[in-house]
Amino acid sequence: MLLEITARRAVADDVVELALSGPDLPGWAPGAHVDLTLTPDLVRQYSLCGGGPDHYRVAVLREAAGRGGSAFVHDRLHVGELVEVGLPRNTFPLVDARGYLFVAGGIGITPILPMIDAAEAAGADWQLLYGGRTRSSMAYLERLDDPRVTVQAGGLLDLRAAVAGIAQAPGAAVYGCGPAPMLDALLAACPAAHVERFTPVEVDLPERPFEAVLARSGVTVQVPAGTSLLTAVEAAGIDVLQSCREGTCGTCEAVVLDGEPEHRDSVLDEADRADGGVMMVCVSRARGPRLVLDL
């Protein structure tokens, strides 16, 4: 979809919000993100933090040590520009629950905002812990003036106390988005928490060669140690929809028809990993000598 930037504003230090507008846009649910094709070789994913039938809203943090996407958004995208935007995809869906504990760190507030709106609309109890380096670096504070919101600028969030409190509410769900140390601490306090990561989990596993049978294409590829499955598939001339190439966006998900995948992504939850029915081919591999994929 080619959408027009119809509004742009700063919502915190080094955070800019864009409104991407067009007619009859596909609907989306809390937790969804979209791909922005900034150049043919520069595609980035951003969480939808709001919108309606005629526009999407995203907020982008300028990453000083990033790979160029955020700098492009901040320096090159202005009102009136046209941007290629992918269909909304959701690897971080909001489950139905009686209550919610939301935990956001920095720009991790972006997918949480629509979740709060949905919880409020459903009449569910909710709480938010929102942390950041400074108040001026924390986006959307003006929308979060609510006694159910705890804002902490600087220091570590008391996640164990928050999780212990929500544990007293049967049927509650915990959601977190933000920097890796915060999410690791949240999962340590609540292994059942739903989390979305902006950076890949570091995996220290040996890489073994394996064979991948691409059932739909009738092609078999050999995947050596040190070569990703995605690279081997592309080298065989098979096109795979992909974006981040680091296991964080979920674009390259493939159905596993046979064999056991070795998951190395930062998208699937434990239930999906145990099921083994899908895998992210950009980073994940095979536990055994062979996989059969619906590619």
Side-chain angles (χ1 to χ4, degrees), residues 2 24 26 46 64 78 82 92 111 138-139 165 171 174 184 241-242 244 264 282 290-291 295:
L2 199 60
D24 302 320
Y46 298 108
H78 301 284
L82 298 178
F92 190 43
M138 299 169 71
V174 178
D184 292 341
L241 190 64
Q242 50 79 25
C244 73
R264 301 176 176 219
C282 66
R290 184 173 180 268
L291 283 175
L295 288 174

Side-chain angles (χ1 to χ4, degrees), residues 17-100:
E17 179 195 82
L18 303 178
L20 304 159
S21 300
D24 302 320
L25 296 181
W28 58 282
H33 65 270
V34 292
D35 289 350
L36 267 58
T37 300
L38 305 174
T39 72
D41 298 319
L42 191 62
V43 181
R44 293 293 183 266
Q45 300 77 42
Y46 298 108
S47 297
L48 290 173
C49 58
D54 63 349
H55 75 285
Y56 297 143
R57 288 205 310 272
V58 299
V60 180
L61 170 68
R62 181 191 287 273
E63 298 275 6
R67 296 176 294 143
S70 66
F72 189 100
V73 170
H74 277 253
D75 297 339
R76 304 278 295 277
L77 294 188
H78 301 284
V79 172
E81 300 275 357
L82 298 178
V83 183
E84 183 66 32
V85 180
L87 295 175
R89 297 195 312 277
N90 201 335
T91 57
F92 190 43
L94 184 67
V95 300
D96 290 334
R98 295 181 181 179
Y100 299 92

Side-chain angles (χ1 to χ4, degrees), residues 6-24:
T6 53
R8 170 183 164 130
R9 67 183 181 118
V11 291
D13 293 346
D14 291 325
V15 180
V16 64
E17 179 195 82
L18 303 178
L20 304 159
S21 300
D24 302 320

Side-chain angles (χ1 to χ4, degrees), residues 217-266:
S217 304
V219 173
T220 298
V221 299
Q222 303 301 319
V223 186
T227 297
S228 74
L229 173 55
L230 175 59
T231 297
V233 170
E234 290 177 329
I238 309 301
D239 288 332
V240 178
L241 190 64
Q242 50 79 25
S243 181
C244 73
R245 304 184 81 95
E246 59 182 15
T248 58
C249 75
T251 306
C252 68
E253 179 179 287
V255 173
V256 179
L257 301 176
D258 192 34
E260 185 180 3
E262 181 179 77
H263 298 291
R264 301 176 176 219
D265 65 273
S266 305

Side-chain angles (χ1 to χ4, degrees), residues 61-184:
L61 170 68
R62 181 191 287 273
E63 298 275 6
R67 296 176 294 143
S70 66
F72 189 100
V73 170
H74 277 253
D75 297 339
R76 304 278 295 277
L77 294 188
H78 301 284
V79 172
E81 300 275 357
L82 298 178
V83 183
E84 183 66 32
V85 180
L87 295 175
R89 297 195 312 277
N90 201 335
T91 57
F92 190 43
L94 184 67
V95 300
D96 290 334
R98 295 181 181 179
Y100 299 92
L101 170 63
F102 299 113
V103 180
I107 197 62
I109 192 64
T110 50
I112 299 297
L113 287 176
M115 294 184 176
I116 291 173
D117 291 341
E120 187 75 7
D125 293 330
W126 62 269
Q127 301 173 48
L128 168 66
L129 260 64
Y130 182 16
R133 296 187 309 277
T134 63
R135 289 186 67 90
S136 64
S137 72
M138 299 169 71
Y140 301 112
L141 284 180
E142 76 282 356
R143 291 184 52 183
L144 298 169
D145 184 14
D146 189 289
R148 293 167 290 185
V149 176
T150 299
V151 174
Q152 183 170 326
L156 300 176
L157 296 172
D158 191 350
L159 298 177
R160 289 197 176 276
V163 167
I166 201 71
Q168 307 305 314
V174 178
Y175 277 79
C177 186
M182 185 200 81
L183 296 182
D184 292 341

